[in-house]
Amino acid sequence: MNRRGQPVELDWYGCDLRSGQIIEELRALTTSALSRKLGASATATFSLALAGAPAEWEAATTPGRTMLVPVDRATDTPLGAWIALTRAGGTSPTLELGGATPEAYFDRRYTAPITGFGVDQATLFTTTGAPLLVDAPPFAFDAPATGTPATYSVEDGDDRTILSVWQELTAGGGPEWTVDTAWAPDRSGFVLPIRIRPKIGTITDTPEAVFDLPGSISNYRLSESYEEGKGATSVLASGEGEGTARLRSELATATDLLNAGYCRWEHRYTPADGVTDPNALTTHAREELAVMRSGGTVWTLDAIASQAPRPVADFGLGDSIRVQVDRSPRHPKGASVTARCWSWSLDPAGNSVSPILVEDS
């Protein structure tokens, strides 16, 4: 659907955090910006004009008991959920609220123990994340088997939060994950599916979401980096242990880049999934090299929200997005690239949307 020219207008709902049920529609709620990140939490601040607030505004904004959900009025699409964590007010006519996306809750719950040898990667997530289904927000796992076995161990006595374990698993070559927000079937509230996939989003060379200049883009910045952890021409993956007992991969080397004149930039790491098979370690090293050989390339866009693809409705976290530049000082001959959305922010009042896109090597 072509929505160019339509402003981004949000309907806000204050909901019970445990059940997801709507308590009140908060028409007087405003925010300067909303943002979402892949596999991480994001915070936001809100203002509620008390003169225009509904009768149950207090119950609908209680810290630790409620979540705030914005719905794009033009598409009837929930953009996410922000758990209310702080609330302050007094002589001011407005109430100030602070919130965080549901991923922040993962850092307040501790992992279930697991000692898994050669189990599916998705099982590591659902097992360690099992506490998220008990005395928790309306989460539900959307985690089909990945087909990739892994080994990982964590105990209750390790005092590891679910967020720290999941981020470690993902950094070690595990699946990506995010928390979606969707209408409940009877539309009386919202549910929070936890989506776990080898790669989140729709990845394609021909994405429908296109940001263009001239067009929806007001300005952009391309950042390229070969810093530690972002660029390498030689990668070695090691297993757990020390000294000669420590298993290692074959050395993965970008021979073509070295022959073309690149220096050798070394990167050594230990995959977080507890790999003990040298062949699996070699696969990890080659995959890491494929990501790091070109260094980090990140596009930060600022676009006119009413002219650009809309978050969630037109593109989501992990999705491929095309950037089309006819001409700019950085790209005098133009540029056309496809990159994945790793985060986005939206300023409805400022009519601005800003996705951050990462190019795959």
Side-chain angles (χ1 to χ4, degrees):
M1 180 185 298
N2 186 357
R3 304 183 188 88
R4 287 185 180 269
Q6 295 187 44
V8 178
E9 298 177 307
L10 303 181
D11 293 323
W12 282 96
Y13 298 91
C15 306
D16 178 74
L17 179 60
R18 180 93 171 252
S19 67
Q21 295 290 300
I22 295 172
I23 300 173
E24 281 281 15
E25 183 175 357
L26 301 172
R27 298 184 180 181
L29 189 72
T30 59
T31 182
S32 58
L34 298 172
S35 64
R36 293 283 314 282
K37 300 177 182 178
L38 187 62
S41 64
T43 60
T45 57
F46 311 90
S47 294
L48 180 66
L50 295 176
E56 296 299 317
W57 67 264
E58 195 164 8
T61 60
T62 302
R65 287 291 309 275
T66 60
M67 64 181 182
L68 307 172
V69 178
V71 174
D72 186 339
R73 189 177 301 166
T75 64
D76 195 35
T77 303
L79 298 186
W82 280 260
I83 298 174
L85 295 175
T86 64
R87 183 172 65 183
T91 55
S92 171
T94 60
L95 191 74
E96 303 302 320
L97 301 165
T101 55
E103 293 87 352
Y105 182 79
F106 294 12
D107 208 30
R108 302 287 294 273
R109 295 298 297 265
Y110 288 83
T111 179
I114 186 174
T115 300
F117 297 95
V119 301
D120 192 272
Q121 288 181 326
T123 301
L124 295 180
F125 278 75
T126 56
T127 301
T128 57
L132 295 174
L133 304 182
V134 180
D135 299 332
F139 294 125
F141 283 119
D142 177 10
T146 65
T148 301
T151 297
Y152 188 79
S153 177
V154 64
E155 300 294 337
D156 180 68
D158 294 337
D159 291 336
R160 296 287 304 279
T161 67
I162 293 170
L163 180 65
S164 70
V165 167
W166 283 21
Q167 289 181 334
E168 181 181 62
L169 288 169
T170 296
E176 297 174 348
W177 58 277
T178 191
V179 180
D180 298 322
T181 305
W183 283 105
D186 62 1
R187 295 181 66 87
S188 64
F190 302 90
V191 293
L192 303 173
I194 303 172
R195 186 158 42 113
I196 302 168
R197 298 289 191 278
K199 292 286 186 182
I200 288 291
T202 300
I203 302 173
T204 174
D205 292 332
T206 57
E208 294 185 4
V210 178
F211 287 77
D212 49 6
L213 180 72
S216 61
I217 297 176
S218 52
N219 60 75
Y220 76 92
R221 179 181 177 86
L222 172 61
S223 302
E224 299 160 291
S225 171
Y226 222 79
E227 296 171 290
E228 169 63 28
K230 296 182 180 179
T233 54
S234 175
V235 176
L236 184 71
S238 301
E240 302 291 345
E242 297 180 358
T244 58
R246 191 179 191 191
L247 295 176
R248 290 188 168 183
S249 69
E250 295 179 6
L251 187 64
T253 304
T255 306
D256 58 331
L257 295 183
L258 294 178
N259 291 340
Y262 269 72
C263 293
R264 184 179 295 272
W265 295 86
E266 295 182 321
H267 176 65
R268 297 187 180 188
Y269 77 110
T270 300
D273 54 7
V275 175
T276 57
D277 178 15
N279 292 329
L281 286 170
T282 296
T283 299
H284 268 284
R286 291 171 179 169
E287 291 175 347
E288 190 79 354
L289 177 64
V291 172
M292 300 183 69
R293 54 179 280 128
S294 299
T297 305
V298 179
W299 295 74
T300 303
L301 312 181
D302 290 323
I304 303 167
S306 59
Q307 299 295 325
R310 298 173 96 97
V312 184
D314 296 326
F315 70 91
L317 295 175
D319 285 350
S320 297
I321 292 176
R322 178 161 293 280
V323 180
Q324 187 71 47
V325 177
D326 284 356
R327 179 181 297 178
S328 74
R330 172 62 179 85
H331 296 101
K333 296 181 180 180
S336 180
V337 301
T338 297
R340 293 183 67 204
C341 177
W342 285 90
S343 71
W344 56 259
S345 62
L346 173 68
D347 177 2
N351 194 24
S352 173
V353 61
S354 302
I356 295 178
L357 313 177
V358 178
E359 283 191 52
D360 287 332
S361 299

